[in-house]
Amino acid sequence: MKSERYDKIFEYNRQWVESKSKNDKNYFTQFGESQSPDFLYIGCSDSRVPANTITGIEVGDLFVHRNVANIVSNNDLNVQSVIQFAVEYLEVKHIIVCGHYGCGGIKAALKQESFGLLDNWLRNIRDIYRIYYKELELITPFENKIDRLVELNVIEQCKNIIKTSYVQKSYLQKGFPTVHGWIYKTKTGELADMNVDFKKTLKEVQKVYKLE
Ligand code: CO
């Protein structure tokens, strides 16, 4: 059954097309042939964290992958294909992992209970929880523990991107992409750069995962 809100989406789309074309009649035709975005954004599927809206990046400049808790798993063909395509064919200059405070996926991973199929996905986060167990166990209240794991998860996912052969090879041959970790504050709308030191992290990762 269609609802009023559902129908409004198409009404909004017509208005958007009209307003974009009014300012620039070639607005859509310029995107018709191909794309050449500078950024690959990997973020959470959470409806409160819309990639283009929070960054102000317009059509054509942001290649996006989103999943629960912005995970970059080595056996996820989806995210790995996105990264390889973005690096080798689109030649993006920056890869961004964006986590957000209060993330439901991170919160679920910190709970000692089963969520069915989702357990397999949350396992990626629980593995990080295990690595930082000593630090995380000391943090109270629970909300602060969630937010710290949100940060640690972003750092670990940046490392997971750097572990891939395509990122290492491209950086060695062309000098890009570099990888960045961001946090989005859902309650204020602010973005913060965690200033992950790309060169230092690459060096650290390559002690074990040198693939270029
Ligand atoms: Co989330």
Side-chain angles (χ1 to χ4, degrees):
M1 199 179 79
K2 285 187 178 180
S3 69
E4 211 179 309
R5 288 184 71 194
Y6 179 86
D7 289 332
K8 276 207 169 118
I9 295 171
F10 293 91
E11 194 185 306
Y12 175 79
N13 172 257
R14 279 189 292 274
Q15 287 168 6
W16 178 70
V17 171
E18 213 176 281
S19 74
K20 288 291 180 191
S21 309
K22 205 153 103 189
N23 293 333
D24 177 1
K25 64 178 174 24
N26 296 320
Y27 187 79
F28 291 103
T29 50
Q30 69 176 320
F31 301 122
E33 294 302 318
S34 62
Q35 59 169 336
S36 108
D38 268 344
F39 307 98
L40 164 60
Y41 170 100
I42 298 170
C44 185
S45 298
D46 195 303
S47 61
R48 297 165 297 176
V49 195
N52 288 77
T53 310
I54 62 171
T55 55
I57 296 177
E58 277 281 348
V59 176
D61 212 15
L62 195 65
F63 198 60
V64 174
H65 178 84
R66 291 169 69 182
N67 60 39
V68 171
N70 39 273
I71 300 288
V72 179
S73 170
N74 67 308
N75 54 24
D76 176 8
L77 274 177
N78 188 345
V79 73
Q80 292 299 330
S81 303
V82 164
I83 296 170
Q84 191 199 347
F85 180 67
V87 170
E88 292 184 354
Y89 296 90
L90 299 176
E91 300 192 309
V92 294
K93 306 299 180 289
H94 304 273
I95 301 178
I96 296 141
V97 177
C98 184
H100 67 103
Y101 287 147
C103 182
I106 301 288
K107 188 177 172 182
L110 277 166
K111 287 187 176 167
Q112 316 283 324
E113 60 180 285
S114 170
F115 297 90
L117 173 73
L118 199 55
D119 292 335
N120 297 292
W121 192 248
L122 298 179
R123 165 72 180 275
N124 292 296
I125 308 164
R126 288 189 168 122
D127 285 343
I128 298 170
Y129 179 21
R130 179 169 54 78
I131 297 170
Y132 296 96
Y133 185 81
K134 271 188 188 166
E135 178 190 337
L136 288 163
E137 275 311 282
L138 296 174
I139 301 173
T140 54
F142 187 59
E143 282 66 34
N144 294 12
K145 197 186 297 226
I146 296 169
D147 290 349
R148 181 59 184 148
L149 187 50
V150 164
E151 294 171 357
L152 294 168
N153 180 48
V154 167
I155 292 166
E156 290 298 317
Q157 302 314 328
C158 286
K159 288 183 196 167
N160 285 343
I161 293 168
I162 298 171
K163 283 172 195 171
T164 64
S165 63
Y166 12 102
V167 169
Q168 291 183 27
K169 275 181 190 154
S170 174
Y171 184 75
L172 182 82
Q173 289 164 10
K174 304 174 195 164
F176 59 79
T178 47
V179 180
H180 312 268
W182 289 359
I183 296 288
Y184 178 71
K185 297 172 189 169
T186 321
K187 285 181 182 166
T188 66
E190 292 166 297
L191 262 181
D193 193 331
M194 294 183 73
N195 295 313
V196 171
D197 188 330
F198 177 75
K199 282 186 185 170
K200 199 175 144 198
T201 312
L202 177 69
K203 218 172 159 181
E204 188 194 313
V205 162
Q206 283 193 326
K207 281 181 191 165
V208 175
Y209 307 87
K210 193 172 185 341
L211 300 175
E212 47 80 12

